[in-house]
């Protein structure tokens, strides 16, 4: 038969040294600390569950937004030209809050474009193309409803558009 010391050594062999603080505690203090640790574990598990649910919700929103972008990027684009690129800086004026112009508070780049339907449009938000890559005269594809810039087009995309733009200026 194994002695009590051998049995204890076998059970607690892989356990690290017990802290001096725990050795000095009474049984009630140890059980109280155990309950506190169990409560903390429960709270952390709840937090982990909440965060995983938030993550799945966020992934779903990202998936929906990607589908919306894919839907809005469907051809046919409305073809247009960049007329001017504006650097919008927010004004530091104090407002009373009665009517706030959100476009005036935007910072970054905005564009003026001319479409093949002879419309000139100001876009405070460029769209899916980085405004730093755009320059005046670039041929772009815009959404036919929102006029957001969806893609840059190669210069030889459609010669008829260039002819139409040139003929509009001449006439």
């Amino acid at each position: 038969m194994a002695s009590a010391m051998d049995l204890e050594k076998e059970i607690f062999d892989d356990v690290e040294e017990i802290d001096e603080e725990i050795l000095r505690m009474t049984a009630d203090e140890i059980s109280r600390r155990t309950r506190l640790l169990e409560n903390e574990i429960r709270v952390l598990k709840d937090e982990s569950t909440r965060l995983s649910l938030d993550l799945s919700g966020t992934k779903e929103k990202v998936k929906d937004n990607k589908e919306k972008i894919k839907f809005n990027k469907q051809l046919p684009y409305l073809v247009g030209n960049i007329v001017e690129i504006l650097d919008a800086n927010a004004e530091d004026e104090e407002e009373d809050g009665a009517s706030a112009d959100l476009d005036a508070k935007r910072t970054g780049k905005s564009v003026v474009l001319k479409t093949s339907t002879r419309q000139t449009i100001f876009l405070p938000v460029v769209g899916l193309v980085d405004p730093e890559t755009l320059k005046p005269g670039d041929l772009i594809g815009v959404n036919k409803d929102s006029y957001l810039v969806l893609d840059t087009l190669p210069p030889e995309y459609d010669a008829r558009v260039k002819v139409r733009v040139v003929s509009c200026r001449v006439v």
Side-chain angles (χ1 to χ4, degrees), residues 74-130:
Q74 287 179 345
L75 296 176
Y77 294 157
L78 188 61
V79 178
N81 282 337
I82 299 289
V83 175
E84 189 174 357
I85 300 173
L86 305 171
D87 195 12
N89 293 326
E91 299 292 327
D92 292 334
E93 297 177 6
E94 292 290 324
E95 291 197 20
D96 60 358
S99 63
D101 185 10
L102 294 178
D103 288 338
K105 296 204 182 284
R106 292 188 198 277
T107 58
K109 302 271 184 178
S110 56
V111 297
V112 176
L113 59 96
K114 187 169 186 90
T115 67
S116 56
T117 59
R118 299 180 184 169
Q119 294 175 310
T120 303
I121 297 151
F122 170 74
L123 291 176
V125 177
V126 176
L128 300 178
V129 176
D130 183 22

Side-chain angles (χ1 to χ4, degrees), residues 4-141:
M5 289 296 280
D6 291 336
L7 185 60
E8 185 176 305
K9 192 174 202 177
E10 185 179 320
I11 293 173
F12 296 109
D13 190 32
D14 60 339
V15 176
E16 295 178 11
E17 291 293 318
I18 298 175
D19 229 9
E20 290 291 322
E21 180 183 356
I22 294 174
L23 290 175
R24 283 189 234 130
M25 291 180 157
T26 64
D28 289 339
E29 291 172 337
I30 291 174
S31 65
R32 187 177 317 120
R33 181 172 272 184
T34 303
R35 279 194 305 273
L36 287 174
L37 288 173
E38 287 170 350
N39 287 339
E40 188 173 346
I41 289 170
R42 185 174 35 79
V43 167
L44 291 174
K45 282 182 180 178
D46 290 346
E47 181 76 11
S48 173
T49 304
R50 186 187 62 79
L51 288 174
S52 65
L53 287 173
D54 285 351
L55 179 65
S56 64
T58 304
K59 283 183 179 179
E60 189 66 31
K61 285 182 184 178
V62 167
K63 181 182 170 190
D64 289 345
N65 287 339
K66 284 184 178 181
E67 288 175 6
K68 288 178 184 176
I69 289 173
K70 184 179 176 183
F71 176 74
N72 285 330
K73 278 187 84 170
Q74 287 179 345
L75 296 176
Y77 294 157
L78 188 61
V79 178
N81 282 337
I82 299 289
V83 175
E84 189 174 357
I85 300 173
L86 305 171
D87 195 12
N89 293 326
E91 299 292 327
D92 292 334
E93 297 177 6
E94 292 290 324
E95 291 197 20
D96 60 358
S99 63
D101 185 10
L102 294 178
D103 288 338
K105 296 204 182 284
R106 292 188 198 277
T107 58
K109 302 271 184 178
S110 56
V111 297
V112 176
L113 59 96
K114 187 169 186 90
T115 67
S116 56
T117 59
R118 299 180 184 169
Q119 294 175 310
T120 303
I121 297 151
F122 170 74
L123 291 176
V125 177
V126 176
L128 300 178
V129 176
D130 183 22
E132 301 296 326
T133 62
L134 296 174
K135 58 187 181 300
D138 279 351
L139 201 58
I140 54 170

